[in-house]
Structures are given as C-alpha cells and as structure tokens.
C-alpha cells in the first residue's frame, strides 16, 4: 500500500473513518491488514505498533458568544442554523498541543477560539476565548504538571495577534489571568520543563521570559555577548523552545534565517547559527539534537547538533522522483516524545509525513489531511497520537496504538 492513510469520504465532526495498515520489522509498511489483532515490537526502539487509525475532524465556524451565553450553546445553535453559519468566515488552525496526560488536544484558531478536543473520540469538548473581537490565537501550550503539584491543573497559556498572553482553566472554561505586550504581535510561547517559567516571542524580535507563579517579567532576551555574530534577532521570531532538560536554556528562530541559543542567567544569546527560515511552530529539540522546518523550496527539513550548531542532516521531505517538481515549504515539524519519530507538514502538501529517526530519517508513513496546507503538527506525550491542523479547520489525528478486542486475535 503506497498511498497515504486516508478515508475515501469527507467527514465532519465527529464522524470517523478508519484505514488500517500494519508494520513489522523496522517500520516497513508491507500490506493492508485485515481486522485482526496484531502487535509487534520494533527492534532497538521497543516501540509497539498495531493498527493505525486516522480520524478526521472539521472545526465549524461559529459566531462570537453573546453576553450571558456560553460558547458551547452558541455552537449548538449555529449547527441548527445553516444560513447563519454560512455567513461566518471559515476558521484555520494555527497551533495545536496535547494535554500532559494526552487526554485532550487544544487547537488555536484564526477566529480567536481555542477548541478542546477528545483525540480518541474526535469529539469537541469545550470552546475557550469565543469573543466578539475574534483576534487570532497564534499559539497554545498546556502548563506541564512536572514540578507543579500544588498548582491548578489543566491550565493553558495562549497568545493572540494583538499582544495578549492569557491563562485558561480548561475545566471551567475561565480565563484566570491576562497580560499584554503592547505593540507586539506574539507568535510563539513555551514552558520550561519545570513549569516555573514561560517565554514569549514575536514581531518585535524580543524573547521575554516570565515567572509562572507571579506572571511577572523576569528578563528580556534581545542581544548577544557583544560580538557581531551573536547579536539578537533582526526579524520577527516565529518559534521559541525551552531545552527539555535545562530550564535556563531557550532556543528561538524566525524570519532572519538564524537559530539563537539563549542563557537566561547570562541574559543574552550565547550561541547562534545560520540556515533555517522558520515561519511557524517548526523548531523542536530532543536531547541535544535540534529539528528545524524551513519555509523554502529545498532543504526544508533539517537536524542540527546543539553543541556545535553543525548541520547533521538534511532530510528528504519528498520522494526522490518528486524532489524536482514539489517544494518543501515546511510550516510544522516536531519530534515524538521518545525521539524515535519526526513529523512534518507544509503549505503545499495535503499530508503530514513521518520519518524514522533511528533508521537514517527514512520516511515511513504519511497521514492525509483534508485541505492543502499543514500549519501545525504535534505528538501526544503518551506516544499514542499524532495530530495535524490545516486551513479551513481541518484536523487529522493518527492513533498509533488503537485498542483491539481480544476476540479478534489472530488464529494459529
């Protein structure tokens, strides 16, 4: 089976269509599977793969909520009033993140809303930030639970195109805090591994670090150590990432074709290398390997050594027979939580492509989307799901470990 995992028909929330493929050995795709229970252990990585199931959702445009009405009630009303709904602009997906326990998927949209989805049931659970202003939500992040045992659980931080950073309590759908970076368009957010800090970046080329407990500004990162080759960003920043183990280290990248490594204690950029042209959430780190997705025709997907800034490999985003006719133009790129896989998608493809890190970054699968243009990709912490978001509210969720029924086990 050479084609992508994709249902034949278009489905709207919450309908689901399955297409099943199984893998043995080192992620080799060998044939379409019948409905039998199958689980095999991959050598070296220990990853167990069974049937893969792809679910599709379409986030419906909704009218802004009115005073005294909840977002969910407005959504239900709109679904009953097709004429009213057809006059509302369609919504695109800007940013996506799974909750720490992988039970929810938060989706930041161009209409300003944050949709909370059950990834297993492909069911819309809640809608946050459904306001009259409808300023785009540019980034969403769940607050880590590590080191935060005394803190409120299920909290999301989000950013908006008019410079606001908002904290949301998901179960109650309430905004619990808001701060503003006046004159800035915030495009990126991230939490430190211990959840004590969060960082923002965007149009004004400054990385700001805040204390989570007090929500106060800790420092602004915008300069190097003094040498010309370590000055700060010269154009807008589209992605900011804390190191997964070091809460004092932040990486950032954007339009100026550079990656900066910042040390919060030093208050400046301590390392920089040239190359990536990052235009969305396409910078990630696993251990000391940096992944970048660049919005350009060629050499869009690359991995780098954090210690030296040296390019380790340029990953072939397209098959060899398509490399001369199709362009990369990567918008979303991410490592899986265990570092075994990379997923990436771009503006001129209708699929998210998956690569096996342990086997020379070989492409092992692709997940079809329902619209051309993949804007965001993210793996769940559990390793079970991969999600991608596209234009027109199209969301694809890949289940890499779907549940099987015991009575479907293969016969000897």
């Amino acid at each position: 089976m050479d084609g992508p995992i994709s249902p034949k028909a278009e489905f709207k929330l919450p309908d689901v269509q399955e297409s099943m493929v199984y893998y043995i050995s080192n992620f080799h795709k060998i044939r379409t599977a019948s409905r039998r229970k199958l689980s095999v252990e991959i050598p070296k990585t220990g990853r167990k793969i069974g049937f893969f199931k792809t679910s599709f959702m379409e986030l419906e445009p909704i009218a802004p909520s009115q005073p005294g009405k909840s977002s969910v009630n407005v959504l239900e009303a709109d679904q009953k009033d097709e004429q009213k709904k057809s006059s509302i602009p369609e919504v695109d997906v800007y940013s996506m993140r799974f909750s720490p326990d992988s039970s929810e998927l938060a989706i930041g949209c161009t209409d300003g809303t944050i949709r909370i989805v059950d990834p297993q049931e492909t069911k819309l659970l809640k809608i946050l930030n459904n306001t009259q202003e409808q300023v785009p939500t540019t980034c969403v992040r769940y607050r880590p639970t590590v080191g935060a045992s005394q803190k409120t659980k299920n909290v999301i931080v989000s950013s908006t195109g008019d410079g606001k950073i908002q904290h949301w309590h998901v179960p109650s759908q309430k905004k619990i805090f808001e701060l503003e970076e006046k004159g800035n368009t915030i495009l990126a957010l991230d939490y430190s591994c211990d959840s004590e800090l969060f960082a923002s970046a965007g149009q004004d080329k400054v990385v700001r670090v805040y204390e989570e407990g007090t929500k106060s500004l800790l420092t602004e990162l915008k300069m190097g150590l003094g040498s010309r080759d370590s000055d700060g960003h010269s154009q807008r920043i589209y992605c900011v990432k804390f190191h997964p183990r070091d809460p004092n280290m932040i990486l950032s990248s954007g339009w100026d074709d550079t990656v900066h490594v910042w040390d919060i204690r030093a208050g400046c950029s301590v390392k920089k290398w040239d190359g990536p042209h990052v235009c969305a959430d396409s910078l990630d780190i696993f251990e000391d390997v940096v992944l970048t997705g660049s919005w350009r025709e060629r050499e869009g997907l690359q991995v780098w050594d954090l210690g030296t800034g040296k390019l380790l490999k340029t990953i072939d985003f397209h098959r060899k027979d398509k490399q001369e006719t199709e362009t990369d133009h990567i918008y979303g790129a991410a490592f899986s939580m265990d570092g075994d896989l990379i997923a990436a998608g771009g503006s001129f493809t209708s699929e998210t492509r998956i690569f096996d890190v342990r086997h020379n970054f070989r492409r092992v699968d692709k997940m079809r989307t329902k619209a051309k243009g993949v804007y965001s990709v993210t793996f769940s912490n559990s390793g079970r799901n991969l999600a991608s978001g596209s234009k027109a509210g199209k969301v694809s969720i890949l289940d890499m470990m779907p549940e099987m029924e015991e009575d479907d086990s293969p016969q000897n």
Side-chain angles (χ1 to χ4, degrees):
M1 181 177 177
D2 295 327
I5 298 175
S6 174
K8 295 181 180 179
E10 183 82 17
F11 288 88
K12 295 188 182 229
L13 179 73
D15 296 325
V16 176
Q17 179 76 5
E18 298 182 8
S19 180
M20 294 172 295
V21 175
Y22 71 78
Y23 296 73
I24 63 173
S25 186
N26 299 324
F27 265 144
H28 291 295
K29 188 187 304 183
I30 61 170
R31 67 179 175 88
T32 303
S34 61
R35 233 178 228 284
R36 297 182 303 168
K37 181 174 181 181
L38 178 65
S39 180
V40 292
E41 187 162 343
I42 307 303
K44 297 183 181 180
T45 66
R47 177 184 293 276
K48 290 186 176 181
I49 301 298
F51 291 112
F52 277 28
K53 180 180 74 173
T54 308
S55 304
F56 291 85
M57 301 179 62
E58 183 170 343
L59 304 179
E60 299 285 358
I62 62 172
S65 61
Q66 302 296 325
K69 292 184 178 181
S70 70
S71 299
V72 174
N73 289 337
V74 172
L75 175 65
E76 292 171 351
D78 285 341
Q79 290 174 336
K80 296 175 182 177
D81 187 349
E82 292 298 325
Q83 185 176 1
K84 179 180 178 182
K85 186 171 65 178
S86 65
S87 67
I88 305 171
E90 67 180 17
V91 57
D92 295 340
V93 174
Y94 265 178
S95 180
M96 311 175 75
R97 268 303 182 274
F98 284 93
S99 59
D101 65 0
S102 304
S103 65
E104 295 176 344
L105 175 66
I107 306 170
C109 302
T110 52
D111 64 354
T113 61
I114 303 169
R115 318 287 180 101
I116 308 299
V117 169
D118 181 332
Q120 307 310 323
E121 301 295 331
T122 56
K123 178 181 178 181
L124 182 63
L125 302 175
K126 297 178 177 68
I127 300 176
L128 311 179
N129 201 37
N130 184 29
T131 63
Q132 291 286 337
E133 291 79 11
Q134 294 195 309
V135 178
T137 293
T138 55
C139 192
V140 291
R141 293 290 186 269
Y142 274 89
R143 185 167 67 190
T145 55
V146 176
S149 59
Q150 303 302 316
K151 295 178 181 177
T152 304
K153 306 294 185 182
N154 300 310
V155 171
I156 285 176
V157 64
S158 65
S159 60
T160 65
D162 60 353
K164 293 184 177 64
I165 299 175
Q166 301 167 330
H167 283 69
W168 299 89
H169 182 237
V170 176
S172 67
Q173 300 175 250
K174 292 182 178 180
K175 182 167 59 178
I176 55 179
F177 194 83
E178 179 178 282
L179 60 88
E180 183 176 3
E181 296 178 2
K182 292 185 177 180
N184 193 20
T185 297
I186 302 174
L187 301 169
L189 295 169
D190 201 33
Y191 268 107
S192 62
C193 56
D194 58 7
S195 77
E196 297 299 320
L197 304 172
F198 64 92
S200 70
Q203 187 175 15
D204 70 356
K205 304 169 288 188
V206 178
V207 176
R208 292 179 175 84
V209 183
Y210 297 87
E211 294 180 343
E212 172 63 20
T214 63
K215 308 297 188 295
S216 59
L217 180 65
L218 177 64
T219 187
E220 292 184 345
L221 304 172
K222 51 188 175 182
M223 296 299 295
L225 289 171
S227 61
R228 294 183 61 187
D229 64 351
S230 62
D231 288 340
H233 284 286
S234 61
Q235 296 192 51
R236 63 178 60 187
I237 304 168
Y238 270 96
C239 197
V240 61
K241 293 280 183 179
F242 276 91
H243 190 281
R245 297 191 312 271
D246 186 351
N248 292 301
M249 184 185 296
I250 299 175
L251 278 73
S252 61
S253 190
W255 269 4
D256 60 1
D257 299 347
T258 63
V259 174
H260 277 272
V261 181
W262 307 88
D263 189 318
I264 295 174
R265 295 160 298 188
C268 61
S269 172
V270 295
K271 188 178 302 178
K272 159 190 157 179
W273 65 85
D274 298 327
H277 184 73
V278 169
C279 294
D281 192 2
S282 57
L283 170 71
D284 205 2
I285 317 164
F286 180 78
E287 301 293 344
D288 289 324
V289 176
V290 179
L291 169 68
T292 59
S294 296
W295 200 85
R296 59 190 177 208
E297 290 188 2
R298 303 286 181 264
E299 299 182 346
L301 194 60
Q302 298 175 313
V303 287
W304 311 77
D305 178 72
L306 175 61
T308 63
K310 180 181 178 181
L311 177 64
L312 298 176
K313 185 175 180 62
T314 297
I315 302 168
D316 292 332
F317 187 61
H318 300 285
R319 298 197 314 260
K320 291 190 180 299
D321 60 332
K322 298 288 187 180
Q323 290 177 7
E324 297 301 320
T325 58
E326 296 186 8
T327 61
D328 292 1
H329 288 105
I330 305 297
Y331 268 138
F335 279 111
S336 61
M337 293 302 111
D338 58 9
D340 288 349
L341 301 176
I342 286 171
S347 58
F348 298 122
T349 62
S350 56
E351 59 194 30
T352 300
R353 294 172 183 172
I354 305 170
F355 304 85
D356 185 355
V357 174
R358 307 297 182 185
H359 294 87
N360 200 30
F361 302 94
R362 186 159 51 96
R363 195 173 82 181
V364 293
D365 198 16
K366 50 186 176 181
M367 177 176 65
R368 179 72 70 184
T369 61
K370 289 294 185 175
K372 195 168 186 178
V374 176
Y375 298 154
S376 181
V377 300
T378 185
F379 285 94
S380 65
N381 291 337
S382 66
R384 177 171 182 172
N385 294 115
L386 166 67
S388 69
S390 306
K391 65 186 300 184
K394 301 296 192 301
V395 176
S396 301
I397 303 174
L398 181 66
D399 189 343
M400 295 183 283
M401 293 179 285
E403 297 173 358
M404 306 289 183
E405 295 188 10
E406 291 298 328
D407 56 3
D408 286 337
S409 59
Q411 302 297 321
N412 293 327

